[in-house]
Structures are given as structure tokens and as C-alpha cells.
Amino acid sequence: MNIQWYPGHMTKAKRAMQEDIRLVDLIIELVDARVPLASRNPDIDALGKGKARLIILNKTDLADPDCNERWAEYFRGLGCHVVSANSRSGAGLRQVNGVVQEACREKIERDRRRGILNRPVRAMVVGIPNVGKSTFINSFAGKACAKTGNKPGVTKGNQWIRLSKTLELLDTPGILWPKFEDSQVGLRLAFIGSINDDILERSELAVELLAFLRVHYPGAMTERYGLADEDMSGSEAEILECIARARGCLARGGGVDSDKAAGILLDDFRAGRLGQITLEEPPVKAEPSTAEDQLWRKNDR
């Protein structure tokens, strides 16, 4: 299943980021803890060259706890500052101010030597669609500063937000990159809802997700949908049919509505109702992020 999605407005958004990058001291990049590499736009590294970097490992409540700290260590190994967070609940966000000051310590000290006092740190908040940037900003600020939504593309333009005398944020639209060289990247982004669902074949996507879950998190399906061992012994398409029957997704004539069952499965995964699941494992050594990393295999650990 080869997924590509790069709507025209993203070209405009990238151009705006290129123009504004010179105005900021720090780049705060949000990644989804379930797919920390797939949810990194490789263009950000080129755009932010020479800028201080802070990675917000977001949605850690939805990810496998065993993996979250290893991902944080991986990004620290790349020279980034890291905060693990759940922006929706606010968990972890109290650390952000201190980490921002540490990340920009050289800039702050340089200003002081020049006699420039109380100049705020300016940070650009970046990330792919639906990774939680606006939710992060609103939770961090303690008020609704940015529009939020559970679909990609809610933020349409850049917006400056003054949080305090020491920090200003530039909210930017979520942007992807023109082509996913690895088909697995497109799949992972579709799983977490960063690709517009309207261009996807949900039944095919659900089958791909089931192929991963049945190997690495089989208990997630048996517990959520009450499936028996014999239900899990068939193909992924047959497992989807079992989920359809368990959830009453029936079509006319007594058949099953696999498309409706696929929507239920994807919604359950995205909302964390299948449990805490991570789809990628960090490389053994910190290396520049790449789309060629393989899906996580628990039995390789």
C-alpha cells in the first residue's frame, strides 16, 4: 500500500517557514511517540541548521512506556534537548520552560554581554499534521491560543504567541515532505491520522495495521474485541471480519461491513483504546533520522 499526500498549501507553508526561520532562536519540534522517526519531517533539519533544537516527544500516554525513554535518549544522542509529554493532559509540560532556557543559554548569555536584557527567546513550533502542536501550545500557555482538531490541517498560517516576557512562540501549519521514499513511513503516518483519511482505503489500511498488531500486540485485539485464539489464526482480512461481527458491523444480506470495522479499529488505535502501542524502535546508535528504519519487532529486543 503506497501512500503519498502533499497538498498544495504545504508548499506555501514551507516557504513561510523558510522566511521566518531567521527570526527565531530555537526550533521546538513535536513528534508522535508512537512513530518518532516517521513523524519527523526531514526538511526541518535543513531549515533549522544552526538553531537550538528541542524535541517534544508527544502523546507518550499512547505509546509503549518501555520505548519512550529509549526514544528520548536517542534524540539526546543527536544533540537535541528532549521533553516527554502528553500535551492533552499537560503531563511533562512544566519542564519545557527550563529546557528552553538551557537550550538557549548561549544566546541569553551573549545578549547579556551586549547589554541586552529581557529579550524573549523566540521559538518556532513545528511538526507534521495532527502531531499535537496546537494542543501543546494551548496547554503550555494555559489558555486557548491556537485552533485544535483531530484532523490534519487545522492550523492554516503562522501565528506569533507571546507566552511571557521570556518566551514567544511561532505556531506553524503541519507540513509533510513531497515524497515518502519508504512506503512504511506513509503507512505509519496514516495509522496515526497524519494523512487525510479521505484519500485512504480504510479496509486496506486496517489490514496493514492488523498485520503488525497480531505479531507484536496480539492481546490488544483479543482484549478489546473479545476474539478467540481461532479468530486470530486466519488472515488479517479474516481477523477484520471477526472484529466486524464482534462490533455488529453487518451489511445487507448477512455479510459484514469491513469498511465500518476498519474505521472502528483505526479509531481505537488512534485513541489508545487498544493500549499503549509503539510502531518503531529507536536505532541502537544515534544517527541522523532516516525513513529506512524498520517497524519495531519486539522479539528482536
Side-chain angles (χ1 to χ4, degrees):
M1 189 175 183
N2 188 20
I3 299 171
Q4 302 290 338
W5 186 54
Y6 190 70
H9 75 271
M10 290 187 181
T11 300
K12 181 179 179 181
K14 180 180 176 181
R15 191 177 301 119
M17 288 175 61
Q18 290 172 321
E19 294 173 354
D20 289 336
I21 198 76
R22 59 185 177 81
L23 303 175
V24 304
D25 311 298
L26 170 71
I27 295 178
I28 299 176
E29 180 183 3
L30 273 80
V31 301
D32 190 305
R34 295 167 294 180
V35 287
L37 282 185
S39 59
R40 292 197 76 195
N41 185 336
D43 291 341
I44 299 301
D45 284 335
L47 287 173
K49 190 174 182 180
K51 300 290 182 179
R53 303 294 296 273
L54 167 57
I55 299 286
I56 303 291
L57 193 63
N58 198 30
K59 303 187 180 182
T60 50
D61 58 309
L62 302 178
D64 192 321
D66 291 339
C67 289
N68 289 334
E69 183 53 37
R70 289 198 297 133
W71 273 113
E73 288 301 317
Y74 169 78
F75 287 123
R76 291 186 186 106
L78 295 179
C80 300
H81 295 265
V82 183
V83 171
S84 298
N86 172 5
S87 294
R88 192 169 297 279
S89 70
L93 297 188
R94 290 184 179 180
Q95 305 174 45
V96 174
N97 265 321
V99 177
V100 166
Q101 296 299 307
E102 175 61 26
C104 296
R105 182 175 56 182
E106 291 184 8
K107 176 264 180 189
I108 295 170
E109 292 178 352
R110 186 169 59 249
D111 282 349
R112 286 175 179 168
R113 288 195 299 268
R114 294 173 179 173
I116 303 172
L117 303 178
N118 301 321
R119 174 185 286 178
V121 170
R122 286 187 154 193
M124 177 182 284
V125 182
V126 301
I128 67 169
N130 211 36
V131 79
K133 295 187 307 301
S134 296
T135 301
F136 160 72
I137 290 173
N138 291 340
S139 295
F140 186 40
K143 58 183 178 180
C145 301
K147 293 181 180 179
T148 62
N150 59 3
K151 292 184 178 181
V154 173
T155 302
K156 298 298 184 182
N158 291 2
Q159 176 189 5
W160 279 105
I161 300 167
R162 186 177 178 86
L163 296 187
S164 66
K165 292 181 179 180
T166 61
L167 181 60
E168 295 179 357
L169 299 182
L170 178 59
D171 187 18
T172 64
I175 61 170
L176 296 170
W177 52 107
K179 184 179 181 181
F180 307 138
E181 299 295 339
D182 182 351
S183 62
Q184 292 296 321
V185 170
L187 276 175
R188 296 170 211 167
L189 296 184
F191 291 156
I192 65 171
S194 290
I195 305 290
N196 190 339
D197 280 336
D198 293 340
I199 73 165
L200 301 173
E201 174 52 59
R202 291 193 302 178
S203 294
E204 290 184 26
L205 188 62
V207 164
E208 294 282 2
L209 180 58
L210 285 169
F212 177 83
L213 294 176
R214 73 182 301 187
V215 174
H216 307 295
Y217 296 91
M221 291 174 288
T222 56
E223 292 176 15
R224 179 67 182 171
Y225 306 115
L227 303 185
D229 290 341
E230 56 265 29
D231 296 328
M232 298 293 293
S233 63
S235 68
E236 285 80 19
E238 290 171 333
I239 295 174
L240 185 59
E241 290 184 3
C242 291
I243 293 173
R245 293 190 183 94
R247 283 293 182 264
C249 302
L250 304 178
R252 291 183 179 180
V256 298
D257 188 339
S258 294
D259 189 63
K260 185 175 181 180
I264 290 173
L265 175 69
L266 292 169
D267 286 345
D268 284 348
F269 168 72
R270 292 169 182 174
R273 289 188 286 268
L274 296 180
Q276 294 173 291
I277 294 171
T278 297
L279 303 179
E280 293 177 328
E281 181 182 54
V284 175
K285 294 182 180 179
E287 298 174 352
S289 60
T290 171
E292 273 67 34
D293 292 274
Q294 298 298 312
L295 283 173
W296 179 33
R297 297 292 182 260
K298 272 190 172 180
N299 54 1
D300 288 341
R301 296 177 63 187

